[in-house]
Amino acid sequence: MSDEGIRSGEIAVALPEEFDAGVFFIGRIRTPWTERDQCPKNARGSDAACTVELDPRYAAALDGVAACTHLVLLYFMDRARRDLLVQSPRHGERRGTFALRSPVRPNPIAMSVVRLLRVDGTRLTVVGLDCLDGTPLIDIKPYFPSVDSVPDAVVADSKKTSS
Amino acid sequence: MSDEGIRSGEIAVALPEEFDAGVFFIGRIRTPWTERDQCPKNARGSDAACTVELDPRYAAALDGVAACTHLVLLYFMDRARRDLLVQSPRHGERRGTFALRSPVRPNPIAMSVVRLLRVDGTRLTVVGLDCLDGTPLIDIKPYFPSVDSVPDAVVADSKKTSS
């Protein structure tokens, strides 16, 4: 495993030689951001309307989606390395990958909760994304506050070890 | 594509012949449920404590996770068919797959928000899962209410078409 591009304190792992399962890219996400430095720091960092372009093959699966005010999108951060277990974000503490929302992770699948503005055929207009233009989409789910919303959840500021 | 096991009104699609990307199974989820009929209808349907057994290869990535009260888990519903675009759930209206949280979807990746009770080495004890025992884990993320919690999100009861 190459240690190229690792910052001080970061830890890489040798990943398995084979994948265990496969995913289909079911569409593309269109955003105003073509370089990583342009992306908002998180999904609430921009009110930009972005477009989800679903592959027309899956059009029928959108039936009923317009009844949702919010959706969960899963997308594949295909430019991210996958082998870092501990990361030192430029703006933040050194932490384990599973305590970060960084795209760098063994399975670089990002999850964002977005507000749905409009459905036009296989194009969804949404607010709440932070990814690069052209990012592959892998899933669309309805957001149910009864199971997905935990307003009083906490991520403690000071780093604690997972003892 | 076989139409075997399709209910009236359901629509299947011919999936692409090749996957676009691969995922690693990074652990297993241990739950009390070994048959689909035993699983709670949704993730708030049970207070059962479940166990996430992370592959020790990724142990270092848990650093800081204990500071989270809630986590987002992504897991792979590897027993689900992937080709249904419209589904008629046993208890519910006929809807497009992307308006449902059914495991049946082109990429059968489930997302659950869980409450973290305890971290013991590479074992996490959590509440809020509804999946079968042995389900492969693919990601652990910290839950941030600032971006993940939308208490007033709505999924309208009456089915609307995605015009």
Side-chain angles (χ1 to χ4, degrees):
Chain A
M1 186 61 51
S2 159
D3 284 350
E4 196 183 353
I6 291 192
R7 297 195 184 109
S8 166
E10 292 189 329
I11 298 173
V13 72
L15 292 168
E17 292 188 3
E18 294 188 359
F19 292 121
D20 296 295
V23 296
F24 300 115
F25 294 166
I26 63 168
R28 293 275 166 182
I29 297 175
R30 297 294 163 196
T31 75
W33 310 295
T34 55
E35 305 283 340
R36 196 170 296 186
D37 290 350
Q38 300 170 340
C39 293
K41 287 288 161 278
N42 70 57
R44 288 291 172 276
S46 169
D47 284 334
C50 300
T51 306
V52 175
E53 296 180 350
L54 183 70
D55 182 335
R57 172 198 301 263
Y58 304 106
L62 288 176
D63 190 17
V65 165
C68 303
T69 62
H70 292 75
L71 300 171
V72 173
L73 299 184
L74 300 183
Y75 43 101
F76 204 85
M77 307 298 269
D78 55 349
R79 301 204 211 168
R81 66 186 295 165
R82 300 174 66 153
D83 63 334
L84 292 191
L85 300 185
V86 174
Q87 302 177 48
S88 297
R90 207 164 303 182
H91 309 282
E93 290 175 341
R94 177 176 177 275
R95 279 178 198 260
T97 291
F98 298 141
L100 293 167
R101 290 290 275 264
S102 160
V104 173
R105 49 208 317 117
N107 294 305
I109 297 171
M111 185 279 280
S112 284
V113 178
V114 300
R115 185 159 52 90
L116 177 64
L117 298 184
R118 205 165 53 245
V119 181
D120 306 299
T122 52
R123 295 166 61 93
L124 282 62
T125 307
V126 303
V127 170
L129 287 171
D130 56 4
C131 61
L132 286 169
D133 185 49
T135 298
L137 177 72
I138 59 175
D139 202 9
I140 301 171
K141 300 179 190 292
Y143 182 94
F144 290 105
S146 56
V147 291
D148 300 322
S149 178
V150 186
D152 57 351
V154 172
V155 180
D157 268 345
S158 62
K159 197 175 90 172
K160 297 177 188 172
T161 51
S162 50
S163 62
Chain B
M1 187 59 56
S2 159
D3 285 351
E4 195 183 355
I6 291 192
R7 297 195 183 107
S8 166
E10 293 190 327
I11 298 174
V13 72
L15 292 168
E17 292 188 2
E18 293 188 359
F19 293 121
D20 295 296
V23 296
F24 300 115
F25 295 165
I26 63 168
R28 294 276 165 180
I29 296 175
R30 297 294 163 196
T31 75
W33 310 295
T34 54
E35 305 283 340
R36 197 171 295 184
D37 291 349
Q38 301 170 339
C39 294
K41 286 289 161 276
N42 70 57
R44 288 291 171 278
S46 169
D47 284 333
C50 300
T51 305
V52 175
E53 297 181 348
L54 183 70
D55 181 335
R57 172 199 302 263
Y58 304 107
L62 288 176
D63 190 16
V65 164
C68 303
T69 61
H70 292 74
L71 300 171
V72 174
L73 299 184
L74 299 183
Y75 43 101
F76 204 85
M77 307 297 270
D78 55 349
R79 301 204 212 169
R81 64 187 295 164
R82 299 174 67 154
D83 63 334
L84 292 192
L85 301 185
V86 174
Q87 302 177 48
S88 297
R90 206 164 304 185
H91 309 282
E93 289 176 342
R94 177 177 177 274
R95 279 178 199 261
T97 291
F98 299 141
L100 293 167
R101 292 289 277 264
S102 159
V104 173
R105 49 211 315 119
N107 294 305
I109 298 171
M111 185 278 282
S112 285
V113 178
V114 299
R115 185 158 53 90
L116 177 63
L117 298 184
R118 205 165 52 244
V119 181
D120 306 298
T122 53
R123 295 167 61 94
L124 282 63
T125 307
V126 303
V127 171
L129 287 171
D130 57 3
C131 60
L132 285 170
D133 185 50
T135 298
L137 177 73
I138 59 175
D139 203 9
I140 301 170
K141 300 179 189 293
Y143 182 93
F144 290 105
S146 57
V147 293
D148 300 322
S149 178
V150 185
D152 56 353
V154 172
V155 179
D157 267 344
S158 61
K159 197 176 88 173
K160 295 177 187 172
T161 50
S162 50
S163 64

